[in-house]
Amino acid sequence: MQLSDIDSPSINEIYNKTLKTLHNIENALDYSSVVAITDTKGVITYVNEKFCALSQYTSDELIGKTHRLINSKYHPKSFFKDMWNVIQKGEVWQGDICNRAKDGTLYWVSTTIVPFLDANGKPEQYIAIRHDITARKKAEESLEIALQNDFRTTVKNLQNAIFKYTTAEDGSIVFTLFEGQIKERVGISVELLNNNEVDHSFTDEELERFEHYLQEGMAGKTVQFELTYDNLSFLVYLSPILKDGKIVEVVGTASDITKRVKAEKAIEHMAYYDYLTGLPNRRNLQERVKQKISQKDQQFALLFLDLDRFKSVNDTLGHHIGDKLLVAVSERLRDFVSENETVARQSGDEFILLINFTDKAELTENIANIVDGISQPYLLADQEVFVDPSIGVALYPKDGKDYNTLMRNADSAMYVAKEAGKGTFRFFTEELYEKLMEKTFFDRELRQALDRNQFELHYQPQYDLKTGKIKGFEALARWNHPDRGYIPPNRFIPAAEDNGYILQLGKWVLKTACTQAMAWQNNGFPALRISVNVSMRQFSHPTFVEDVKRILAQTGLHPSYLNLEITESVMSDVQQCQCILQQLQDLGVSVSVDDFGTGYSSLLYLSKFPISHLKIDRAFIRELSKNNSLIVKAIIDLAKNLQLNVIAEGVETSEQEEFLEQLSCNEVQGFLYSKPLPPNEIKQLLKNF
């Protein structure tokens, strides 16, 4: 699809038509129906004017109350209990209710209650659409009175249709009366009914059903059903008449419920379709997925589509443009599905597609076309707007045999697609799910680990290579999980970086390390440097320098004994880095560059930055090949020329130590000297040193 294919006026037209439709629905409901909205406990949160007029209460008197205010005590408690059982399951309830107005008079309403569901499929509010049927009820009462007399004259003036019928000897239905104002509107008479001369569009199945209802009436059953004729909807009520213990005839009423039916269809559309795009919504989608699953022998793909950069469109161009973009995207998605497939709006900028397939290669090509089609520019408000879709795909029945499993797995695959660079798609796999579960584990458990005292610090000594004396310690975080045991930093630190928890964890490490260093000094041990690793996110946080200053003040540690280790990646923003480093130097805190040689550093800026040490990455020390040896020598020479100290980490053999001595490396740390130790063992080390 090309830009020239996107007609901006058509998008505006769809958008404006949608808004107009919603406005018309609202006006239609307010004009034709008694409307009330309640929360899940039945407390009224909204009523329209018709509700107030019928109940004779003001909106202020109704809102905040329950419907007990208008309870007429006509119905038993079991009536309302059954009603609540239905709507609390998320199902629609219909029935007639007798209420009491403020002045004590009774009135009847035909009621439809539609639950509106939250993201979890649970009701979050209920909307009740009611129609005043008091006149119909009174007419039925009048009818019962008139049954004792010749009532043909009476019923002619009734608003509803009144009819009577019995059966002939052969069991066929014979109408004996059809009167009321509706008679003239629909053009039906007793003669036309009995001669089967009424023009209609009913199917044979519908006619058989109507015949069945009429025969049930003659069998002594009270029957109620709805039918539509000539674009009018009627509620038909059949009441058998007994004489000497036998059914002699049936009296029926047909009430015009056209306005109510239209209002119910409107509210049903709102309950099952997205208000903005007109696509099926989450509730509708769930039913369609369950229906496809019930077919069993048909496999299909569930595509979970999320728009990348949609938030940027909303933030920069406004939500009205964002809404138009969603409408335009929905129009394009419709072009990619057939009549027996589905495209639905999940929520926000998320869409779901149900696509039938027999060949996975063909399906893959189809999804690639969807990505390409949605990625084409949109012309909205005279400017091009770009978004890309990230799509996760779950296949039925391979990746799930129920709605929730398919949605979960497609959602998981979608997030992998986003991590892969966005504007692409990924199929669900079990390996993918396991990785996501691992990520979820870290996201959840990390946030609770500090509160549960699962983190601790170990300290690795740093030695002066020439004198052999301890110069300081590097504080290293350890996570002792109750179920998984010790989790290494290379697993939880990246997760903490991703979810932002590194800020909270970093503050804890800094404060704990400073507290411990001060405790050793208070125990009479020499004042030694404590080195703490600082992440890029932590370093660039606006309050970082103030956090350092506050922690030093709280712990009492002199700034000269604190060294912060940063990586070369922190230096990417030169101006910000230089500003923060200068503030730290003004505090008296030293800074070293960790893992030097593995990133990118401009030597020009390195010479200007106020740093004290370069730490050679352990990868160069672990394998002293010819190239690595040259790199180590170059780093040490560079540091000397810049008047910086050098610390080599990861020293594990005497050969590595000898090599570093030859190059006049200043300090070393590694398993050759000591592994990272808990505080109590460091205390013993200092005693023996």
Side-chain angles (χ1 to χ4, degrees), residues 367-644:
I367 299 173
N369 290 335
I370 293 174
V371 172
D372 181 64
I374 300 304
S375 300
Q376 298 301 315
Y378 300 81
L379 188 61
L380 302 171
D382 298 325
Q383 54 187 317
E384 289 186 351
V385 177
F386 294 86
V387 289
D388 298 310
S390 291
I391 302 177
V393 186
L395 306 180
Y396 172 84
K398 172 178 171 289
D399 300 328
K401 296 182 180 180
D402 59 80
Y403 170 80
N404 291 329
T405 303
L406 287 169
M407 286 291 290
R408 181 198 68 195
N409 292 344
D411 189 22
S412 299
M414 182 271 291
Y415 278 104
V416 173
K418 279 188 175 293
E419 292 175 355
K422 303 179 182 179
T424 186
F425 63 94
R426 289 290 184 271
F427 284 90
F428 173 79
T429 64
E430 285 298 330
E431 294 78 12
L432 174 154
Y433 182 68
E434 289 174 6
K435 288 181 180 178
L436 283 171
M437 288 300 97
E438 186 77 355
K439 183 177 183 297
T440 301
F441 165 80
F442 281 119
D443 286 346
R444 181 185 67 250
E445 295 291 321
L446 268 172
R447 300 183 185 279
Q448 301 171 347
L450 269 184
D451 294 336
R452 296 175 178 176
N453 298 316
Q454 294 174 6
F455 281 109
E456 57 189 58
L457 291 186
H458 286 195
Y459 301 86
Q460 187 170 38
Q462 297 169 326
Y463 291 86
D464 186 307
L465 188 54
K466 183 179 291 187
T467 65
K469 293 182 178 180
I470 297 177
K471 298 287 288 185
F473 300 95
E474 180 181 3
L476 299 167
R478 296 290 184 264
W479 184 5
N480 186 9
H481 192 272
D483 299 323
R484 298 196 177 193
Y486 276 102
I487 299 175
N490 62 355
R491 292 184 64 193
F492 70 79
I493 293 296
E497 291 266 13
D498 288 342
N499 63 26
Y501 188 72
I502 194 68
L503 296 175
Q504 187 175 346
L505 179 59
K507 288 180 185 179
W508 178 85
V509 171
L510 181 60
K511 185 173 183 179
T512 304
C514 290
T515 301
Q516 184 61 69
M518 196 63 205
W520 287 327
Q521 290 184 29
N522 292 335
N523 288 334
F525 296 113
L528 298 172
R529 180 186 67 224
I530 190 76
S531 295
V532 177
N533 291 280
V534 176
S535 73
M536 183 176 181
R537 179 176 284 197
Q538 188 181 3
F539 184 83
S540 59
H541 194 273
T543 66
F544 174 65
V545 176
E546 288 300 317
D547 291 339
V548 173
K549 187 187 300 185
R550 185 182 66 257
I551 289 172
L552 287 171
Q554 290 173 346
T555 60
L557 183 68
H558 193 276
S560 61
Y561 297 116
L562 175 61
N563 176 72
L564 301 176
E565 295 188 5
I566 63 174
T567 60
E568 291 178 90
S569 59
V570 170
M571 302 184 197
S572 57
D573 189 335
V574 175
Q575 187 174 0
Q576 182 191 45
C577 182
Q578 189 165 18
C579 178
I580 295 173
L581 289 175
Q582 188 59 55
Q583 293 180 64
L584 292 171
Q585 185 184 53
D586 293 343
L587 281 177
V589 175
S590 63
V591 177
S592 59
V593 180
D594 194 14
D595 300 334
F596 188 78
T598 60
Y600 168 79
S601 298
S602 169
L603 299 184
L604 175 61
Y605 292 124
L606 194 62
S607 66
K608 293 183 178 181
F609 287 159
I611 57 178
S612 60
H613 294 72
L614 294 183
K615 289 191 72 175
I616 303 174
D617 186 76
R618 66 178 65 247
F620 298 118
I621 305 298
R622 183 185 307 115
E623 185 180 348
L624 284 176
S625 61
K626 181 178 179 181
N627 287 340
N628 282 354
S629 297
L630 291 174
I631 291 173
V632 172
K633 183 178 185 303
I635 293 173
I636 293 176
D637 289 341
L638 172 66
K640 287 180 179 179
N641 290 329
L642 294 175
Q643 297 182 338
L644 300 174

Side-chain angles (χ1 to χ4, degrees), residues 621-622 624 650-658 671-673:
I621 305 298
R622 183 185 307 115
L624 284 176
V651 181
E652 298 180 357
T653 67
S654 56
E655 289 80 12
Q656 294 168 351
E657 180 186 54
E658 184 179 347
F671 278 33
L672 179 63
Y673 312 100

Side-chain angles (χ1 to χ4, degrees), residues 104-350:
T105 58
L106 300 181
Y107 63 92
W108 282 84
V109 284
S110 176
T111 303
T112 300
I113 303 177
V114 180
F116 273 48
L117 309 182
D118 60 17
N120 299 316
K122 301 293 184 182
E124 60 181 357
Q125 63 178 359
Y126 303 104
I127 179 167
I129 309 298
R130 297 181 174 90
H131 294 272
D132 185 2
I133 58 170
T134 307
R136 190 194 87 193
K137 290 291 185 179
K138 289 182 178 179
E140 291 171 356
E141 292 175 3
S142 300
L143 178 61
E144 291 181 12
I145 297 172
L147 287 175
Q148 307 301 322
N149 307 298
D150 183 4
F151 57 21
R152 188 175 299 271
T153 302
T154 303
V155 299
K156 279 185 179 181
N157 297 318
L158 293 178
Q159 186 177 3
N160 302 324
I162 307 296
F163 59 91
K164 294 166 61 176
Y165 68 89
T166 185
T167 53
E169 292 183 0
D170 61 359
S172 61
I173 299 296
V174 178
F175 287 90
T176 58
L177 175 73
F178 192 91
E179 294 292 350
Q181 294 181 17
I182 290 178
K183 174 184 177 181
E184 305 302 325
R185 292 168 60 189
V186 298
I188 294 178
S189 66
V190 168
E191 291 75 17
L192 291 175
L193 286 169
N194 289 331
N195 294 329
N196 292 323
E197 295 177 353
V198 177
D199 291 332
H200 64 81
S201 57
F202 297 125
T203 64
D204 290 341
E205 183 179 350
E206 288 174 322
L207 290 174
E208 288 180 8
R209 189 165 65 249
F210 297 153
E211 173 78 16
H212 175 71
Y213 290 146
L214 296 175
Q215 293 292 355
E216 279 194 321
M218 286 302 301
K221 294 182 179 179
T222 300
V223 181
Q224 180 176 297
F225 63 94
E226 294 182 12
L227 66 84
T228 300
Y229 175 77
D230 196 24
N231 294 322
L232 297 173
S233 297
F234 297 97
L235 177 65
V236 180
Y237 185 84
L238 305 180
S239 179
I241 304 300
L242 285 83
K243 188 175 182 180
D244 299 329
K246 294 182 179 180
I247 306 298
V248 294
E249 63 181 351
V250 175
V251 176
T253 63
S255 305
D256 185 358
I257 57 170
T258 305
K259 289 183 179 180
R260 193 199 82 185
V261 170
K262 288 182 178 179
E264 288 173 356
K265 287 182 178 179
I267 202 67
E268 181 180 8
H269 189 276
M270 292 171 64
Y272 284 91
Y273 289 86
D274 176 54
Y275 72 94
L276 179 64
T277 63
L279 295 175
N281 62 10
R282 182 189 288 110
R283 174 191 282 181
N284 193 329
L285 170 70
Q286 186 171 357
E287 292 185 2
R288 293 185 183 211
V289 171
K290 290 180 178 178
Q291 183 180 5
K292 291 184 77 69
I293 289 174
S294 67
Q295 297 171 1
K296 293 183 180 179
D297 57 340
Q298 182 181 25
Q299 59 180 353
F300 63 91
L302 188 150
L303 280 59
F304 198 119
L305 183 152
D306 181 87
L307 295 178
D308 304 324
R309 300 197 303 271
F310 178 74
K311 183 177 185 300
S312 175
V313 173
N314 265 344
D315 292 344
T316 57
L317 302 179
H319 288 270
H320 66 293
I321 296 297
D323 286 349
K324 290 183 178 181
L325 176 60
L326 292 173
V327 172
V329 169
S330 69
E331 288 299 308
R332 288 193 192 180
L333 288 175
R334 283 187 174 99
D335 294 336
F336 289 102
V337 296
S338 62
E339 288 185 3
N340 60 343
E341 296 174 331
T342 296
V343 54
R345 184 183 178 200
Q346 169 78 354
S347 64
D349 59 348
E350 296 175 344

